[in-house]
Amino acid sequence: DTEVTQTPKHLVMGMTNKKSLKCEQHMGHRAMYWYKQKAKKPPELMFVYSYEKLSINESVPSRFSPECPNSSLLNLHLHALQPEDSALYLCASSQPSGTAINSPLHFGNGTRLTVT
Amino acid sequence: EDQVTQSPEALRLQEGESSSLNCSYTVSGLRGLFWYRQDPGKGPEFLFTLYSAGEEKEKERLKATLTKKESFLHITAPKPEDSATYLCAVRSNTGNQFYFGTGTSLTVIP
């Protein structure tokens, strides 16, 4: 069982819809991540929050809007997506740089998003 | 520039046929090298952390080793349930980023 929980597991949305992906971690980590993964490719970093502040945005289009309400929760708000945004969206957590050395990423099982 | 390269891209083994996966890296100050297993449609599952050259970690049929330039994931007498994609990632001392290799897709044939 993963200690990083993502909901929903599957999501189908039209290009005009607004939806949100949710992530919760119970590992006491203070860094949280959103990754996008296409088939047969490695995870691609989108956003990093460290101590609830956005620390990395990998030039992600504004139709993706992250939010970190507290140290355990991470949301990804979706609006006006394109079919090419269909992918597996992964949430992960870790200890921030400068605290625990060697802290790995721990992933949730992802949300499979299909944009029609 | 921090970079991770994995080889081979794909590997097919007979059940019981041992082999190794390679992860080569260049990083400005290693803060950890990590191995993950990923099954289709699931998130990557953390396997090992390696930090110091010469370090080794083991779990069941898997053994990970680290040098200053590369890491190996040795699979001894694999079983079909070991079939998955194995990802390698490194963390540098420049911040919260992790750099992933492109993975090795392992298939173990009964």
Side-chain angles (χ1 to χ4, degrees):
Chain A
D1 286 343
T2 180
E3 295 185 71
V4 179
T5 304
Q6 291 188 243
T7 56
K9 292 184 179 179
H10 302 276
L11 179 62
V12 179
M13 61 185 290
M15 289 190 284
T16 59
N17 291 158
K18 286 185 181 181
K19 296 286 185 183
S20 296
L21 309 184
K22 298 186 182 299
C23 175
E24 185 171 10
Q25 58 97 1
H26 297 286
M27 304 187 74
H29 291 158
R30 299 304 298 275
M32 296 188 75
Y33 300 70
W34 280 116
Y35 283 87
K36 173 182 177 179
Q37 189 176 30
K38 292 277 202 178
K40 301 190 186 301
K41 298 288 187 183
E44 177 185 344
L45 182 64
M46 300 176 72
F47 302 105
V48 182
Y49 275 84
S50 181
Y51 297 102
E52 295 88 69
K53 290 187 176 5
L54 184 66
S55 66
I56 298 177
N57 176 344
E58 290 289 289
S59 302
V60 179
S62 60
R63 57 186 184 269
F64 295 91
S65 175
E67 178 193 22
C68 189
N70 61 51
S71 61
S72 299
L73 295 174
L74 186 66
N75 299 320
L76 186 63
H77 303 296
L78 313 172
H79 173 55
L81 294 192
Q82 304 297 311
E84 56 265 30
D85 296 322
S86 298
L88 181 67
Y89 287 84
L90 294 163
C91 173
S93 70
S94 179
Q95 291 295 13
S97 176
T99 56
I101 295 176
N102 315 339
S103 179
L105 282 170
H106 289 268
F107 286 89
N109 275 325
T111 294
R112 171 66 63 190
L113 174 67
T114 303
V115 182
T116 61
Chain B
E1 180 181 323
D2 298 332
Q3 194 170 354
V4 180
T5 303
Q6 288 187 248
S7 62
E9 187 175 316
L11 182 62
R12 289 173 65 89
L13 299 173
Q14 290 292 136
E15 184 172 2
E17 179 187 2
S18 301
S19 189
S20 298
L21 282 55
N22 177 263
C23 172
S24 299
Y25 65 92
T26 55
V27 65
S28 53
L30 184 68
R31 292 292 293 262
L33 184 141
F34 311 97
W35 282 98
Y36 293 86
R37 171 196 169 120
Q38 186 172 25
D39 293 299
K42 298 276 185 77
E45 174 191 352
F46 169 67
L47 293 174
F48 302 112
T49 298
L50 300 166
Y51 179 61
S52 303
E55 192 174 359
E56 297 183 354
K57 294 276 181 72
E58 285 190 69
K59 179 180 179 180
E60 297 181 353
R61 295 176 292 282
L62 301 177
K63 179 180 176 180
T65 62
L66 181 67
T67 72
K68 288 186 177 181
K69 293 184 178 180
E70 58 190 349
S71 177
F72 292 94
L73 185 65
H74 307 278
I75 303 176
T76 302
K79 298 182 177 181
E81 53 262 41
D82 295 322
S83 297
T85 295
Y86 290 85
L87 292 164
C88 168
V90 298
R91 186 172 192 176
S92 74
N93 61 7
T94 57
N96 288 317
Q97 271 238 29
F98 290 75
Y99 298 91
F100 280 86
T102 51
T104 294
S105 176
L106 173 66
T107 303
V108 181
I109 304 161

